[in-house]
Amino acid sequence: IILSHRGFWNDLTERNKLSAFIRSFDAGFGTETDLRDCAGEIVISHDMPKGDEITFEEVLQTMNGRNLPLALNIKADGQANAIKELLDKYNHTNYFTFDMSIPDMVAQIKSGMRVFTGLSDILPVPVMLEAATGIWLDCFNSDWYSADTIDDLLESGKYVCIVSSDLHKRTTAKQW
């Protein structure tokens, strides 16, 4: 399964824009995106929102019933219920959340959301691994893991999302 990063964009100005999400979904890709709250709405924004961002609901409407995978990077605590309500409203079940604070992770798991915990060269021990649906496997500084690492996680019943090292401006040759 391939996930686009902040949509399928052709230039940097399109990241997290509706055109990038349309392109991603029309190509059959899921996507990773960033969720924040702004003026009472859940918006798509990697950085602090300015007020002109598209809403998470607009992204779900754009999917138009296609239950493509969504990796939801929650950038602020306390959004779990609002996010879950929107996912339920649009019958979207193919998602996971990740990169939230530990207290918010606890709340999300208790509410029945699909949560991935992190595992990386910076975070070598995943938080709440047993309760998590899967692993967000990252490599910030090195290709530290092996195929055996991935196999072990899969055999333990966890989904694994592998972050491409080019996200951190490193070559991908060894990783892939």
Side-chain angles (χ1 to χ4, degrees), residues 7 15 95 117 120 124 126 133 138 146:
R15 289 185 301 187
Y95 75 92
T117 188
S120 71
T133 303
D138 213 338
S146 67

Side-chain angles (χ1 to χ4, degrees), residues 136-152:
W136 181 259
L137 188 61
D138 213 338
C139 50
F140 293 93
N141 301 306
S142 67
D143 294 325
W144 62 272
Y145 59 84
S146 67
D148 289 340
T149 306
I150 298 167
D151 288 342
D152 290 346

